[in-house]
Amino acid sequence: MRESRLTGFRTLLYKELLRFWKVGFQTVAAPVLNAMLFLLIFSHVLQRHVTVYGDVAYTAFLVPGLVMMSLLQNAFANSSSSLIQSKITGNIIFVLLPPLSYREFYAAYVIASMLRGLSVGAGVLLMSTFFVDLSIAAPVWVLAFALMGSAILASLGVVAGIWAEQFDQLAGFQNFLIMPLTMLSGVFYSIHSLPQLWQDVSRFNPFFFMIDGFRYGFFGRSDVSPWLSFVVVSVCLVLLAALTLAMLARGYKLRA
């Protein structure tokens, strides 16, 4: 029985990996190209006018933010789109019928989404090296925030995919929650360039801590303490994972 459950988990994970990898030109290459366009346009306009952390060139400052933004958005898109498509087409039944626990269900969708997000992030980082010299001051911090950030957005994608009943509801979730939180999280600027009020508001955005902690791994400098970012992101991950697992355990909007 244990072996059959493990086989079911592996099959679901393989199916989710294959789902985005077979159309990698759309799911991986296209987001990398979008990030490169952001990098080229913003660096061309602001490179000579903006410096951050004293001596960090704006283009270099921009790269970690774009990497993390692409990683987060694609981790969310993978799990949320997979679930909503399965629900609308009705083939979610073929995922629910096998003897899979809700933990295995959660793990398969989240791991596959994390891998897509990390693939896109790695692609953006690799392509950025053709335009800017980058060094990584603290690789452990880079890896930690990349993994936690992708896991959080993958879990949030599962929540959105379960909750949404139509594509427009999912689009609303993405356009009115995910997109504003990522775009207003310090991807393109340091929050110390903002008025005090908006600096305080930014500290209520968990995406800010993901990106700021990730950026610390490159430069050894950040807008807030990396340990504070680590604690905030860790708490968000635990709470969101618990919420997602609770929804799956109840079969919320999945089982009649």
Side-chain angles (χ1 to χ4, degrees), residues 172-235:
F173 194 100
Q174 186 161 8
N175 293 332
F176 292 100
L177 181 64
I178 303 301
M179 186 66 71
L181 287 177
T182 50
M183 297 294 286
L184 300 176
S185 57
V187 172
F188 302 102
Y189 55 86
S190 166
I191 65 166
H192 290 309
S193 65
L194 302 175
Q196 187 60 46
L197 172 63
W198 292 109
Q199 290 187 40
D200 296 336
V201 170
S202 295
R203 288 181 170 86
F204 287 94
N205 180 359
F207 288 46
F208 160 71
F209 294 97
M210 298 179 209
I211 291 175
D212 197 58
F214 184 75
R215 187 175 275 132
Y216 174 85
F218 284 85
F219 307 117
R221 285 172 283 182
S222 55
D223 289 331
V224 299
S225 166
W227 288 106
L228 173 61
S229 296
F230 183 81
V231 170
V232 172
V233 174
S234 297
V235 170

Side-chain angles (χ1 to χ4, degrees), residues 7-191:
T7 301
F9 164 74
R10 289 173 178 170
T11 301
L12 180 57
L13 176 60
Y14 177 72
K15 171 252 184 189
E16 286 300 305
L17 291 173
L18 197 63
R19 176 181 169 274
F20 82 80
W21 193 250
K22 288 195 72 171
V23 288
F25 195 77
Q26 174 185 344
T27 57
V28 178
V32 171
L33 175 60
N34 289 339
M36 288 300 97
L37 292 175
F38 275 120
L39 178 64
L40 293 173
I41 293 170
F42 276 85
S43 63
H44 176 73
V45 173
L46 298 175
Q47 172 69 21
R48 297 181 181 179
H49 304 285
V50 179
T51 56
V52 189
Y53 305 146
D55 59 347
V56 176
Y58 181 70
T59 304
F61 171 84
L62 189 59
V63 169
L66 290 175
V67 170
M68 197 61 164
M69 181 182 74
S70 303
L71 182 155
L72 298 177
Q73 290 180 346
N74 282 275
F76 173 84
N78 196 75
S79 53
S80 60
S81 62
S82 179
L83 278 169
I84 191 65
Q85 286 175 358
S86 295
K87 287 171 63 178
I88 289 178
T89 58
N91 62 33
I92 189 70
I93 190 66
F94 299 112
V95 178
L96 298 175
L97 279 178
L100 283 172
S101 72
Y102 64 91
R103 294 184 184 90
E104 290 170 321
F105 183 100
Y106 170 79
Y109 278 94
V110 168
I111 291 172
S113 300
M114 289 175 65
L115 288 173
R116 174 178 167 182
L118 292 168
S119 298
V120 173
V124 174
L125 183 60
L126 178 63
M127 294 302 297
S128 299
T129 59
F130 292 100
F131 303 97
V132 60
D133 292 328
L134 277 177
S135 59
I136 300 180
V140 174
W141 285 105
V142 170
L143 182 61
F145 281 100
L147 291 173
M148 289 192 298
S150 60
I152 288 174
L153 268 292
S155 299
L156 194 57
V158 174
V159 171
I162 292 172
W163 168 79
E165 296 178 355
Q166 298 178 0
F167 283 108
D168 59 341
Q169 291 178 323
L170 182 60
F173 194 100
Q174 186 161 8
N175 293 332
F176 292 100
L177 181 64
I178 303 301
M179 186 66 71
L181 287 177
T182 50
M183 297 294 286
L184 300 176
S185 57
V187 172
F188 302 102
Y189 55 86
S190 166
I191 65 166

